[in-house]
Amino acid sequence: MFGKEAVTMKINNVGPSGMNPYKNHLKHQQLQMNNQPKGDQLEISNKAKEMQEKSQFTEARQEKIAKLKISIENGTYQVDSKAVANKMIDYYFNK
């Protein structure tokens, strides 16, 4: 019927009003991509930063964190699995 001749087909001005559903679909996809959120962001106000810096617990907290880091690096940090389980249960049941 067609033989070895190449058959090309243009998809332009399809439909009674000249609409091309393929182009419309592409436009729809592009609009969806543009409307997607760029990602989560977290902003801490200057007042919150000041409060954090002035906190009397900052030094004690930093000291505790330093000790934890050292014990983790040394491999001596032990997790109290019962305490973790109890906290998880308390959180789950809103206690």
Side-chain angles (χ1 to χ4, degrees):
M1 187 158 144
F2 292 112
K4 293 184 180 181
E5 298 174 15
V7 177
T8 59
M9 196 168 115
K10 289 186 179 181
I11 304 177
N12 294 329
N13 298 331
V14 176
S17 63
M19 288 185 3
N20 186 335
Y22 302 103
K23 287 184 181 178
N24 289 340
H25 181 70
L26 182 61
K27 286 180 187 177
H28 181 69
Q29 283 181 334
Q30 289 173 346
L31 286 173
Q32 283 182 339
M33 289 177 58
N34 291 339
N35 290 336
Q36 290 181 351
K38 302 226 189 265
D40 295 335
Q41 288 185 334
L42 174 67
E43 293 182 22
I44 301 174
S45 68
N46 290 334
K47 182 70 175 174
K49 289 177 185 177
E50 286 178 29
M51 290 173 61
Q52 188 177 22
E53 290 172 1
K54 292 180 181 178
S55 174
Q56 55 183 308
F57 301 108
T58 303
E59 290 180 25
R61 185 174 182 183
Q62 292 299 328
E63 187 176 320
K64 184 176 180 179
I65 291 171
K67 287 180 182 178
L68 285 171
K69 283 182 179 181
I70 291 170
S71 64
I72 290 170
E73 288 173 0
N74 293 336
T76 58
Y77 179 71
Q78 297 292 321
V79 177
D80 185 1
S81 58
K82 287 185 180 183
V84 172
N86 287 332
K87 290 287 184 177
M88 289 173 67
I89 291 169
D90 290 347
Y91 177 79
Y92 181 74
F93 290 109
N94 295 321
K95 291 183 181 181

